[in-house]
Amino acid sequence: QINNRQTEVALLLADAREQVRPLASIDLGIAKRDLKRDRDQENTLSNQITDEMRAFTGADIAILNGGGLRTDVAAGPINYALLFRIFPFNNRAWILGPATTQQLLSLFDRAATSCGAHGSLFQSGLKIRYSRDCVNRNVNGIDPKAQVETISFQGQLIVDRSQTPPLFVEREFKIATIDFLGDGNGSGYKEFAAIK
């Protein structure tokens, strides 16, 4: 009876794959080089995807969580089937804002502590410098003393904690992200919930 059920499931899956094949095989483009992902460090895949999100939406900043990217991309054709392997979730794109400089600082201060433990944030539109010590992280895999040192937007320094007094330029930003983060529940980034 188990073998019959396995056969039945296999047939259902084969039928479902055949039904989605026309969509799954649509060409989306070509990766000119391998695009690698990393849960914590800046990487080519998150850079490419956040850059495309920002360009497509017209947002000032695009933000994704490192744990949301589930496979690397080899150089070559990209189709919907591969896109779904990269993002195997039913997420929707969200545009949030206006977000303030202070709200961005809170988000990225939390991201700095991660060391990969709770999923870092990857972004397009800002240049951010952190201070952190992931070699000596605590038992929870984070560096609780980590923080953002500087944030620049369009070549302008808007946060610099090394200055006395610290430089802080308050302004507003439109953010492109996904509902997993935007609702304030994804990867523990409750700070998103305050951005409407």
Side-chain angles (χ1 to χ4, degrees), residues 96-174:
L96 303 176
T100 65
T101 302
Q102 183 57 57
Q103 288 170 322
L104 289 181
L105 186 58
S106 296
L107 277 170
F108 289 106
D109 269 342
R110 174 162 166 52
T113 68
S114 170
C115 297
H118 55 69
S120 294
L121 294 180
F122 296 106
Q123 57 80 29
S124 172
L126 301 171
K127 184 175 180 183
I128 302 174
R129 186 170 52 86
Y130 298 106
S131 66
R132 68 178 180 174
D133 181 5
C134 289
V135 172
N136 296 306
R137 61 186 178 243
N138 69 19
V139 295
N140 296 318
I142 65 169
D143 174 8
K145 296 179 183 176
Q147 69 173 12
V148 169
E149 292 298 325
T150 63
I151 300 177
S152 296
F153 176 69
Q154 296 180 344
Q156 178 194 7
L157 200 58
I158 58 172
V159 173
D160 186 350
R161 286 177 161 152
S162 70
Q163 295 188 28
T164 307
L167 172 72
F168 187 84
V169 178
E170 189 63 276
R171 57 168 300 155
E172 294 182 337
F173 306 87
K174 185 167 69 168

Side-chain angles (χ1 to χ4, degrees), residues 13-184:
L13 287 172
D15 183 54
R17 284 192 180 104
E18 186 58 29
Q19 288 181 40
V20 299
R21 186 180 55 76
L23 175 63
S25 62
I26 292 174
D27 289 328
L28 299 176
I30 296 176
K32 294 182 180 178
R33 59 188 171 114
D34 292 348
L35 300 172
K36 302 288 186 179
R37 65 195 161 93
D38 188 286
R39 189 170 172 82
D40 187 48
Q41 300 296 316
E42 184 173 2
N43 59 86
T44 55
L45 184 57
S46 67
N47 284 347
Q48 185 68 42
I49 290 174
T50 54
D51 285 350
E52 294 297 330
M53 284 176 62
R54 185 166 60 96
F56 181 77
T57 62
D60 300 306
I61 303 161
I63 301 174
L64 283 176
N65 57 308
L69 304 175
R70 294 304 175 105
T71 191
D72 297 333
V73 174
I78 298 173
N79 59 23
Y80 269 108
L82 176 56
L83 186 62
F84 190 75
R85 287 197 305 274
I86 297 167
F87 291 108
F89 309 104
N90 193 25
N91 293 126
R92 294 173 296 145
W94 279 19
I95 304 293
L96 303 176
T100 65
T101 302
Q102 183 57 57
Q103 288 170 322
L104 289 181
L105 186 58
S106 296
L107 277 170
F108 289 106
D109 269 342
R110 174 162 166 52
T113 68
S114 170
C115 297
H118 55 69
S120 294
L121 294 180
F122 296 106
Q123 57 80 29
S124 172
L126 301 171
K127 184 175 180 183
I128 302 174
R129 186 170 52 86
Y130 298 106
S131 66
R132 68 178 180 174
D133 181 5
C134 289
V135 172
N136 296 306
R137 61 186 178 243
N138 69 19
V139 295
N140 296 318
I142 65 169
D143 174 8
K145 296 179 183 176
Q147 69 173 12
V148 169
E149 292 298 325
T150 63
I151 300 177
S152 296
F153 176 69
Q154 296 180 344
Q156 178 194 7
L157 200 58
I158 58 172
V159 173
D160 186 350
R161 286 177 161 152
S162 70
Q163 295 188 28
T164 307
L167 172 72
F168 187 84
V169 178
E170 189 63 276
R171 57 168 300 155
E172 294 182 337
F173 306 87
K174 185 167 69 168
I175 298 175
T177 190
I178 55 174
D179 55 348
F180 175 75
L181 291 174
D183 67 7

